[in-house]
Amino acid sequence: MPNARATHLTRRGILAAGGALGLGAALVACGDDNGKSADSGKGTEAAKSGPWTFKDDRGQTAKADKTPSNIVAFVGVAAALYDYGVQTKGVFGPTTTKDGKADVQAGDMDVSKVTVLGNEWGQFNIEKYASLAPDLLVSTMFDNIGTLWYVPDESKKKIEAVGAPSVGISVYDRQLTEPLQRMLALAKSLGGDTTSAKVTEAKKRFEDAAARLRAAAKAKPGIKVLAGSASQDLFYVSGSNLSIDLEYFKALGVNFVEPPEKAKAQGGGWYESLSWENVDKYDADIIMMDNRTSAIQRADITEGTWKKLPAVKAGQVIARNPEPILSYDKCAPLLEDLAAAIERAKKVS
């Protein structure tokens, strides 16, 4: 486990690449792996009628007299629970786009059927939250000190005072498969149907996609993949450590561009910030670009230096969500898309 070191990032910096998380917070960059198996429900009806407990990745056990039903969650968590048949009452985080459509992080949820407590970083309407009579608050965690993602630090005490227990699922410095299993366990404890044909097929699809990606990477070990994110002034290049998706892809054999640790220092160990003039610092055959609405999308990048990149000229640019929706149904396509990109990639670097 790496030594703890506090790193304060700018609002612009944290929206960045790879581990790039969202809009402006301060992260503590350190690894911790205390995600143990959860106390899960023993069937939907039994879970609803009896006491409920769940040990989260902070090592804390959330408790309730019965299975929570008025659930409030970070939008990506809500989207994952939805895939397992668990409906949330309220959400916070990027839920709708400017035109009112569902954000990419909302997955298949009908966003018109949830109460949105805040759509941007720092927004969390405590009055709306209390009005929902919440009996559970759930979010992910991008550090090892238990910071619930998108829960404003300045409002934390008021939110806790409402009285709902909370659950944190870690997405920090571990491979994708672990938080996937933890979300499945949480959904099961909440009465979700985690053994349905749909879920079983999605898990099989994920496993098949992992095997395909491993085979593609083995067949083309020289193909270099760069994980990037764009803002108006900077281009961010993520390293493969810390991010759950990139750590897993690397374990499957994907050859990533790796900025040196010193270069990632200002990004809390997640990424290196480059000016657009220096966007060609690293050679890459495939570029995975942040598809969240907080980042400039690849079709909207006008910088000439970007357009001259060999991977861009070759059309070898694919989408990436640095905050994967933690269900097998939503994660399988991530592996499939990268596998397909490697399979058809030409060496251009």
Side-chain angles (χ1 to χ4, degrees), residues 3 11 14 17 61 94 112 124 130 137 151 154 160 183-184 191 199 217 220-221 240 285 287 309 328 335-336:
N3 293 326
R11 176 181 176 86
I14 273 198
T61 300
S112 69
F124 193 110
L137 175 68
V151 174
E154 63 273 16
E160 290 175 345
M183 191 63 71
L184 184 73
V199 173
K220 292 187 174 181
S240 63
D285 303 296
I287 300 177
L309 293 177
Y328 290 101
L335 279 73
E336 293 169 342

Side-chain angles (χ1 to χ4, degrees), residues 76-132:
V77 171
L81 292 176
Y82 179 87
D83 285 350
Y84 294 122
V86 178
Q87 181 67 51
T88 54
K89 291 287 183 71
V91 298
F92 53 94
T95 307
T96 58
T97 58
K98 292 180 180 179
D99 58 6
K101 296 180 180 179
D103 189 275
V104 65
Q105 295 192 63
D108 293 333
M109 281 194 306
D110 183 345
V111 295
S112 69
K113 293 183 178 180
V114 292
T115 299
V116 181
L117 306 180
N119 203 53
E120 298 179 6
W121 182 265
Q123 294 180 350
F124 193 110
N125 191 310
I126 299 174
E127 289 73 22
K128 281 187 178 181
Y129 176 61
S131 73
L132 295 174

Side-chain angles (χ1 to χ4, degrees), residues 142-334:
F142 281 91
D143 60 29
N144 73 319
I145 59 171
T147 304
L148 296 179
W149 188 233
Y150 264 79
V151 174
D153 190 59
E154 63 273 16
S155 306
K156 180 180 177 182
K157 290 184 179 180
K158 291 182 179 179
I159 293 169
E160 290 175 345
V162 174
S166 64
V167 164
I169 300 296
S170 180
V171 289
Y172 179 76
D173 196 17
R174 59 203 62 207
Q175 294 182 22
L176 177 61
T177 46
E178 184 176 344
L180 270 173
Q181 292 164 0
R182 298 291 287 132
M183 191 63 71
L184 184 73
L186 176 60
K188 181 179 179 181
S189 80
L190 294 171
D193 187 352
T194 58
T195 59
S196 67
K198 180 180 179 181
V199 173
T200 301
E201 290 168 4
K203 188 172 183 180
K204 177 65 164 55
R205 180 183 174 188
F206 178 89
E207 292 167 348
D208 289 345
R212 178 183 174 186
L213 179 55
R214 186 189 297 275
K218 184 177 181 180
K220 292 187 174 181
I223 295 296
K224 291 184 179 180
V225 180
L226 182 149
S229 185
S231 70
Q232 183 175 352
D233 299 319
L234 295 171
F235 182 79
Y236 305 93
V237 179
S238 176
S240 63
N241 61 321
L242 303 186
S243 300
I244 56 173
D245 60 333
L246 302 187
E247 282 200 13
Y248 185 51
F249 299 159
K250 183 179 181 180
L252 292 174
V254 176
N255 181 10
F256 280 105
V257 169
E258 299 283 4
E261 290 302 316
K262 185 176 181 180
K264 294 186 296 181
Q266 288 187 328
W270 294 89
Y271 56 84
E272 178 181 2
S273 304
L274 299 175
S275 67
W276 283 103
E277 289 77 14
N278 295 314
V279 73
D280 60 353
K281 179 177 179 179
Y282 297 106
D283 293 331
D285 303 296
I286 296 172
I287 300 177
M288 302 174 69
M289 286 297 289
D290 189 342
N291 71 346
R292 295 169 302 168
T293 51
S294 56
I296 296 177
Q297 298 305 295
R298 49 182 166 161
D300 300 320
I301 299 175
T302 59
E303 300 290 340
T305 48
W306 162 260
K307 296 179 179 180
K308 292 179 182 178
L309 293 177
V312 176
K313 292 172 68 176
Q316 295 179 174
V317 181
I318 64 173
R320 174 197 173 217
N321 187 344
E323 297 180 61
I325 293 172
L326 296 173
S327 72
Y328 290 101
D329 181 71
K330 295 301 180 293
C331 287
L334 307 181

